[in-house]
Amino acid sequence: MDYNHQSIEQKWQKFWADNQTFKTSESTEKPKYYVLDMFPYPSGAGLHVGHPLGYIASDIFSRYKRLKGFNVLHPMGYDSFGLPAEQYAIQTGQHPAITTEANINRYREQLDNIGFSYDWSREVRTSDPEYYKWTQWIFMQLFDAWYNKESDKAEPISNLISKFETSGSEGINAESDDDVLSFSAEEWRNFSDNEKQTELLKYRLAFLRESTVNWCAALGTVLANDEVINGVSERGGYPVEQKKMMQWSLRITAYADRLLRGLDTIDWPEPLVEMQRNWIGKSVGASVKFPVPQLNENIEVFTTRVDTIYGVSFVVLAPEHELVSALTTDSQKTEIESYIDKTSKKSELDRLADTKTVSGAFTGSYAKHPLTGEDVQIWIADYVLAGYGTGAVMAVPSGDQRDYVFAKHFNLPIIPISDSQDISEEADPNKDGKYINSDFINGMTYQEAVPALIERLENLKLGKAKINFRMRDAIFGRQRYWGEPVPVYFKDGLPHLIKEEELPLLLPEVDKYLPTETGEPPLGRADGWKYQDQYEYELSTMPGWAGSSWYWFRYMDPKNQSNFASQDAVDYWKAVDLYIGGSEHATGHLLYSRFWNKFLKDLGFHNEEEPFKKLINQGMIQGRSNFVYRVLDNEGKGTNQFVSYGLKDQYQVYPLHVDVNIVHNDVLDLEKFKQSRPDYKDAEFILENGKYICGTEVEKMSKSKFNVVNPDDIIEQYGADTLRLYEMFLGPLEQAKPWNTNGIEGIYKFLRKVWRLFHDAEGNFRVSDEEPSKAEYKALHKIIKKVEDDIERFSFNTSVSAFMICVNELTDLKTNKRKILEDLLIVLEPYAPHITEELWSLLGNPAGSISYATYPEFKPEYLVESEFAYPVSINGKMKMNLPLALDLDQQAVEAILNDNADVQRLLDGKPVKKVIFVKGKIINIVI
């Protein structure tokens, strides 16, 4: 019987599904281990061979941990809300749920074909009402919570109300909006209900605020920063403008310091950790107020260099700053409005990235310098962003290069403030000298000046020491249809939560998936969709990241009707032990997940500060494109001829991508090429050695480059076990590597060699119960140790090489001993589960039991060498190898040399002057 991968793999995939082999229970004495893959979005294109890389690695680790005696939770589900399904619905009129279901079915089929050990009984989908009921419930908890800086955690809003009722706003130390009121307990009690709700909204962790957003009119929705590329939408390439809108936001800034501190407690790749540190952006400095007497207002700035305050020669506001309109004089109105309009067409990322263009506009108004009282011009410029800090900066051209360039461009003063500064060509931010032109801090050092300035500002009530964070509150609304409805209705213009027992708030039916004719989101099209038939629901839906910000909890207890997960389940599984996914989620999903995890911990729903203990970013599998070369005529026009790669330099040619699926080892299938496109049907070929050799290039895998390889095709031809081993063999998990089908046959031959270890030359299953030889035990225990070490350090590619060496050694030894082969199967099972299941059952073991076998114990004594093949040299020239026991001393070795016929023949009767003997290394005979 030969190795038939198709029948074997179908058999065991059906067995695992029918018997729920990988169904996980909390009822066990085994230690737990939770392995998670990042939630996939099910696209219509399905998986290509690059997608399963991380899934295969996590599956190998999950299977290995089961063999090591762990109770492993390894679930899978779908992040099934999202813009692609909605865009397809807009184009076709088909409900996104239908598209999503079809896409999920395709994904599931492909995932099953690869043989993953997922517990499919725990599958979740973010678009399932039974799931998004709990996403809505978590939003309600956020709405009904505030962040108490005293306890450094979120607390129920009822606690804050109690404080207001007993002592008013005095002593409240909370994360809140800047415009909170001061009031006594009696004043609070006399507020109307609407006044109370308006004030509480300034403290809630989920709140409404006018925010500057990326508005894409063509898509009819707000986009996140990472969905905008060079001023246009990533999907569709539509124009995006900055626009102010009332938006739901989450007060993630309340958790900034905890998010930062937590990075020191988790085992994540350092580049990813650094990205989060930079995104959070902690700065220690001072808050300074520049009075604007004519408005009876202050412009507040945050600075990390309060020591430079006497070098301030102007103030710059973001074009969106709330005071710009009031500050703009009549003479400057046209210029300011034109500049604001121009800025609105740029994304924030574009504004930050463009350091070369100098632009701005003078408002016509002045602020007072807080310490000198002198007038300071107020400008607007697009390098200041409304959402960063206070949306205003104090410009110190002598110490900041961007301010320096701005001042030079607009001919504004540049005031030197240090006796060690050289500002003849550029700004000089050094802190080394002593201050000049700086009033009472003249002659002071940096260390002396900072506390003195902060004390002076505090006394004037125009400043204070402050810690600031670059991170902003998270906008939590999208003007889309295919997302979670926000469980809120509006009464008297204020938001109120629906009742918990009314969850889930289901998506209503609409006639189109477009905004209404009056510009409302698509939910505004729902006929009669009102709370209690009278109050307007929130018409925005939640962003795409809402459902993925807590999904690992639902896997713990996916069928629970009363809680997002039971207390017993979260106490048992605690946190994800290993999380594998892409680094592109560093400042999106991973940051929001950590935020929601900490919030739910604050309210007592679990006890883990961080959700993901260890995280690995898998590298990208890149496409390996193939090219044909069309010959051009004298006028540069394409002909019907195509020249092979090695001959192309003899012609004028134009390279064209060709489908990699009709190329084998870079040799083009000529007939399939002719059939691939109508204009190729009469193609002629200039061959080399009777073959058409294609050119190659490593690029991103995409349909447009014809280099997408479908895993279904690989599995059909070579099997899932071959695909799994080959993806690991391509290179280290974390590194990018090109897909090259040329090497895959070697992996397939390896599996056939494994199969033949268990069968005789006629294909009959034949395994011996004889005691293995020492050499056989040595080969086995080398692979036991190697694979254990490699998997524990996630070096999967080196294990595959070691398997090949081991099987070659056992083949040379003609091994068919049960004691060797049974343990070899267990070690190989995580990588190649189908073939190992089949051979395991042929050995007489219960069907399906290899998944819960015990990983073999490594015994180092089998690797202790008792013999060594010494290279024997004569006068330094190596002549032969001589196997000798390693415990022999020099005298014994010399006696053996004297008696060995081969050595004596080489000496040819010449006398030996001396023998140089290094134990376990060499023998050199000097004659």
Side-chain angles (χ1 to χ4, degrees):
M1 182 173 66
D2 199 8
Y3 171 50
N4 184 331
H5 66 266
Q6 290 180 335
S7 62
I8 289 170
E9 291 178 358
Q10 288 169 11
K11 168 186 173 180
W12 288 107
Q13 287 165 13
K14 185 176 187 305
F15 178 93
W16 296 331
D18 292 347
N19 293 275
Q20 294 191 293
T21 302
F22 306 110
K23 186 176 170 67
T24 309
S25 168
E26 290 80 29
S27 303
T28 176
E29 294 303 311
K30 293 179 180 180
K32 73 93 185 180
Y33 204 91
Y34 188 171
V35 181
L36 186 61
D37 296 306
M38 282 193 186
F39 234 6
Y41 174 80
S43 73
L47 298 169
H48 63 59
V49 291
H51 293 129
L53 178 69
Y55 301 164
I56 294 170
S58 67
D59 196 61
I60 289 170
F61 200 82
S62 298
R63 288 176 177 274
Y64 166 76
K65 280 294 187 181
R66 288 192 196 97
L67 298 174
K68 295 295 281 186
F70 285 84
N71 184 34
V72 176
L73 175 56
H74 186 38
M76 177 51 78
Y78 305 98
D79 192 9
S80 49
F81 275 132
L83 191 55
E86 180 154 341
Q87 287 302 108
Y88 187 75
I90 291 169
Q91 293 160 14
T92 65
Q94 187 178 65
H95 196 288
I98 298 171
T99 314
T100 301
E101 181 70 26
N103 294 349
I104 285 175
N105 291 340
R106 175 75 182 120
Y107 257 57
R108 175 64 189 271
E109 177 189 21
Q110 290 187 291
L111 293 171
D112 284 345
N113 286 343
I114 303 173
F116 294 124
S117 61
Y118 292 128
D119 179 357
W120 283 110
S121 70
R122 295 174 183 253
E123 178 196 302
V124 299
R125 304 176 182 188
T126 57
S127 58
D128 180 351
E130 287 304 307
Y131 180 88
Y132 72 68
K133 164 185 178 177
W134 296 106
T135 310
Q136 292 172 335
W137 178 85
I138 294 171
F139 172 86
M140 293 170 78
Q141 310 312 305
L142 286 157
F143 184 83
D144 267 344
W146 66 297
Y147 200 91
N148 187 346
K149 289 185 182 179
E150 293 295 325
S151 60
D152 197 22
K153 67 175 189 176
E155 295 178 5
I157 202 77
S158 56
N159 292 8
L160 181 63
I161 294 170
S162 296
K163 291 176 184 290
F164 287 166
E165 288 174 343
T166 55
S167 53
S169 60
E170 186 179 354
I172 299 294
N173 189 6
E175 289 289 345
S176 63
D177 293 351
D178 293 332
D179 60 343
V180 293
L181 302 176
S182 294
F183 50 82
S184 65
E186 184 179 358
E187 287 172 325
W188 172 260
R189 288 192 292 270
N190 289 329
F191 283 168
S192 68
D193 188 56
N194 280 2
E195 288 173 325
K196 288 178 180 178
Q197 293 306 318
T198 300
E199 190 63 17
L200 288 172
L201 203 55
K202 300 173 185 176
Y203 292 86
R204 296 183 188 275
L205 292 185
F207 60 98
L208 275 170
R209 174 192 285 168
E210 188 176 62
S211 306
T212 301
V213 297
N214 300 311
W215 172 251
C216 180
L219 294 176
T221 189
V222 168
L223 299 177
N225 281 337
D226 58 4
E227 296 173 312
V228 181
I229 309 294
N230 297 323
V232 297
S233 62
E234 182 183 34
R235 180 164 292 276
Y238 300 114
V240 175
E241 64 175 328
Q242 300 286 291
K243 184 177 178 180
K244 284 196 171 184
M245 293 178 67
M246 286 300 290
Q247 286 283 305
W248 283 101
S249 293
L250 301 185
R251 217 178 290 277
I252 188 174
T253 49
Y255 286 84
D257 212 35
R258 279 170 63 184
L259 288 167
L260 201 57
R261 295 197 306 266
L263 293 172
D264 296 328
T265 69
I266 48 183
D267 182 5
W268 287 18
E270 188 52 40
L272 192 149
V273 168
E274 195 58 28
M275 285 173 74
Q276 288 214 354
R277 281 199 187 103
N278 292 337
W279 189 265
I280 295 165
K282 184 176 182 178
S283 301
V284 178
S287 170
V288 180
K289 294 176 181 176
F290 285 74
V292 184
Q294 66 269 33
L295 298 182
N296 197 25
E297 293 272 8
N298 294 309
I299 294 173
E300 188 172 351
V301 304
F302 173 81
T303 178
T304 57
R305 293 293 306 273
V306 71
D307 60 300
T308 66
I309 194 166
Y310 285 102
V312 173
S313 57
F314 56 101
V315 171
V316 187
L317 307 183
E320 307 87 355
H321 194 286
E322 59 187 10
L323 293 181
V324 170
S325 177
L327 288 167
T328 303
T329 61
D330 291 342
S331 61
Q332 294 298 112
K333 189 173 182 180
T334 301
E335 184 182 349
I336 290 287
E337 287 178 351
S338 172
Y339 188 80
I340 290 172
D341 180 63
K342 182 180 173 184
T343 303
S344 73
K345 294 175 174 59
K346 296 182 184 178
S347 73
E348 290 190 354
L349 290 177
D350 291 336
R351 287 162 62 177
L352 284 172
D354 184 6
T355 57
K356 295 179 180 177
T357 306
V358 183
S359 68
F362 178 41
T363 64
S365 293
Y366 297 81
K368 295 291 184 184
H369 191 289
L371 296 180
T372 68
E374 294 175 1
D375 285 341
V376 177
Q377 290 187 9
I378 304 171
W379 287 67
I380 65 170
D382 63 8
Y383 75 85
V384 182
L385 303 177
Y388 286 78
T390 63
V393 298
M394 61 179 217
V396 183
S398 60
D400 180 274
Q401 185 60 24
R402 202 147 195 182
D403 297 341
Y404 184 92
V405 172
F406 194 93
K408 284 282 189 183
H409 184 82
F410 290 107
N411 198 27
L412 296 166
I414 299 175
I415 307 165
I417 51 169
S418 169
D419 61 10
S420 67
Q421 276 184 328
D422 176 8
I423 56 172
S424 57
E425 299 294 332
E426 60 183 5
D428 185 350
N430 85 76
K431 304 175 183 177
D432 301 332
K434 295 187 177 181
Y435 294 95
I436 59 173
N437 300 321
S438 297
D439 196 40
F440 76 100
I441 62 166
N442 280 341
M444 290 187 184
T445 63
Y446 172 79
Q447 288 77 13
E448 295 166 335
V450 171
L453 284 166
I454 289 175
E455 182 182 8
R456 176 71 62 93
L457 288 165
E458 286 179 344
N459 289 339
L460 295 169
K461 294 188 168 36
L462 289 174
K464 60 182 179 181
K466 187 178 181 181
I467 292 173
N468 206 39
F469 293 93
R470 179 177 176 270
M471 183 173 64
R472 294 169 296 161
D473 287 326
I475 293 175
F476 195 72
R478 298 289 186 269
Q479 288 64 48
R480 298 174 185 161
Y481 175 77
W482 191 233
E484 301 90 342
V486 180
V488 162
Y489 67 93
F490 289 88
K491 182 180 177 182
D492 299 328
L494 290 170
H496 297 267
L497 296 176
I498 67 173
K499 298 171 185 173
E500 278 191 22
E501 56 267 28
E502 294 169 327
L503 293 176
L505 175 60
L506 298 174
L507 270 174
E509 294 296 323
V510 294
D511 60 340
K512 293 183 199 169
Y513 305 103
L514 291 165
T516 68
E517 286 67 24
T518 55
E520 292 174 323
L523 293 188
R525 292 182 173 276
D527 187 29
W529 192 57
K530 292 189 176 182
Y531 184 67
Q532 296 178 349
D533 294 327
Q534 58 178 320
Y535 301 115
E536 297 289 340
Y537 279 118
E538 170 59 57
L539 298 182
S540 294
T541 50
M542 297 187 195
W545 52 265
S548 61
S549 293
W550 71 280
Y551 73 111
W552 64 96
F553 284 116
R554 193 60 177 170
Y555 282 140
M556 298 177 185
D557 194 11
K559 303 295 191 291
N560 196 315
Q561 298 292 309
S562 340
N563 300 97
F564 69 89
S566 72
Q567 197 63 51
D568 287 345
V570 296
D571 287 347
Y572 178 75
W573 293 111
K574 294 183 170 64
V576 174
D577 296 287
L578 173 65
Y579 197 24
I580 296 183
S583 60
E584 67 272 14
H585 299 291
T587 56
H589 159 65
L590 289 171
L591 202 59
Y592 300 137
S593 295
R594 295 180 62 220
F595 162 38
W596 280 35
N597 188 85
K598 292 174 191 295
F599 168 71
L600 290 170
K601 174 180 182 274
D602 287 352
L603 295 193
F605 295 111
H606 69 99
N607 295 309
E608 298 293 318
E609 182 72 7
E610 290 291 336
F612 315 122
K613 292 181 181 178
K614 180 173 183 62
L615 186 142
I616 295 176
N617 295 137
Q618 82 274 13
M620 181 187 294
I621 288 185
Q622 297 164 307
R624 187 175 185 273
S625 300
N626 282 118
F627 294 87
V628 292
Y629 300 91
R630 186 192 289 274
V631 176
L632 303 179
D633 62 20
N634 292 333
E635 296 177 0
K637 294 179 181 178
T639 70
N640 211 27
Q641 282 190 313
F642 294 85
V643 60
S644 185
Y645 175 78
L647 305 173
K648 68 181 176 64
D649 292 343
Q650 300 173 27
Y651 300 84
Q652 186 181 359
V653 299
Y654 183 77
L656 294 165
H657 282 92
V658 64
D659 187 348
V660 295
N661 297 293
I662 61 172
V663 179
H664 186 69
N665 289 340
D666 296 331
V667 178
L668 180 67
D669 185 319
L670 302 181
E671 287 307 311
K672 286 185 178 176
F673 177 75
K674 286 181 174 184
Q675 296 163 17
S676 65
R677 276 174 44 174
D679 55 319
Y680 291 165
K681 65 183 174 62
D682 297 320
E684 298 173 3
F685 304 96
I686 303 170
L687 308 177
E688 49 184 313
N689 301 320
K691 296 177 181 178
Y692 189 99
I693 309 299
C694 295
T696 64
E697 188 175 325
V698 174
E699 303 177 287
K700 184 177 179 180
M701 206 172 271
S702 73
K703 286 182 179 178
S704 65
K705 295 178 173 57
F706 300 98
N707 62 1
V708 171
V709 179
N710 189 325
D712 300 354
D713 297 335
I714 300 295
I715 291 168
E716 173 75 20
Q717 189 172 357
Y718 299 105
D721 285 342
T722 299
L723 175 70
R724 292 167 65 102
L725 282 159
Y726 189 59
E727 293 225 0
M728 294 299 97
F729 184 62
L730 284 172
L733 177 62
E734 297 93 337
Q735 292 182 13
K737 48 244 170 209
W739 176 267
N740 184 354
T741 314
N742 297 354
I744 202 164
E745 287 182 352
I747 298 291
Y748 189 62
K749 288 175 182 175
F750 157 73
L751 287 174
R752 295 185 70 179
K753 271 191 173 182
V754 172
W755 183 263
R756 286 198 293 271
L757 288 174
F758 293 76
H759 296 81
D760 61 20
E762 287 73 43
N764 300 308
F765 183 77
R766 187 153 298 173
V767 173
S768 165
D769 288 324
E770 292 178 32
E771 181 65 20
S773 67
K774 192 170 182 183
E776 289 172 324
Y777 272 127
K778 179 182 176 183
L780 173 66
H781 282 267
K782 276 196 300 183
I783 197 67
I784 289 171
K785 176 66 171 166
K786 175 65 174 168
V787 171
E788 184 171 14
D789 289 349
D790 284 352
I791 292 181
E792 292 285 1
R793 60 192 177 91
F794 306 98
S795 180
F796 304 107
N797 59 312
T798 49
S799 281
V800 180
S801 304
F803 279 129
M804 292 177 173
I805 293 168
C806 174
V807 169
N808 284 340
E809 288 176 352
L810 294 177
T811 300
D812 292 343
L813 292 166
K814 296 181 170 51
T815 299
N816 72 336
K817 314 286 173 45
R818 178 182 295 274
K819 285 186 178 178
I820 300 296
L821 297 181
E822 199 159 61
D823 280 354
L824 174 65
L825 288 180
I826 297 172
V827 176
L828 180 59
E829 186 268 345
Y831 290 81
H834 304 89
I835 191 173
T836 52
E837 282 277 25
E838 179 70 10
L839 293 169
W840 182 257
S841 67
L842 288 175
L843 285 170
N845 295 297
S849 61
I850 192 172
S851 298
Y852 295 94
T854 300
Y855 193 85
E857 180 187 356
F858 167 65
K859 295 183 178 176
E861 57 265 30
Y862 286 117
L863 268 57
V864 174
E865 299 285 356
S866 59
E867 190 176 83
F868 179 67
Y870 281 92
V872 178
S873 299
I874 297 175
N875 286 350
K877 292 184 178 180
M878 202 284 207
K879 297 293 184 180
M880 62 178 284
N881 283 315
L882 183 61
L884 297 174
L886 276 167
D887 57 359
L888 297 176
D889 60 14
Q890 174 130 358
Q891 188 176 355
V893 168
E894 289 185 15
I896 291 170
L897 294 174
N898 286 333
D899 293 338
N900 188 280
D902 291 331
V903 172
Q904 293 307 313
R905 179 176 51 77
L906 290 168
L907 291 174
D908 195 25
K910 293 172 183 169
V912 175
K913 289 185 179 179
K914 66 175 176 177
V915 174
I916 300 168
F917 169 66
V918 182
K919 186 176 282 192
K921 297 286 185 183
I922 59 160
I923 298 170
N924 187 21
I925 303 170
V926 181
I927 59 174

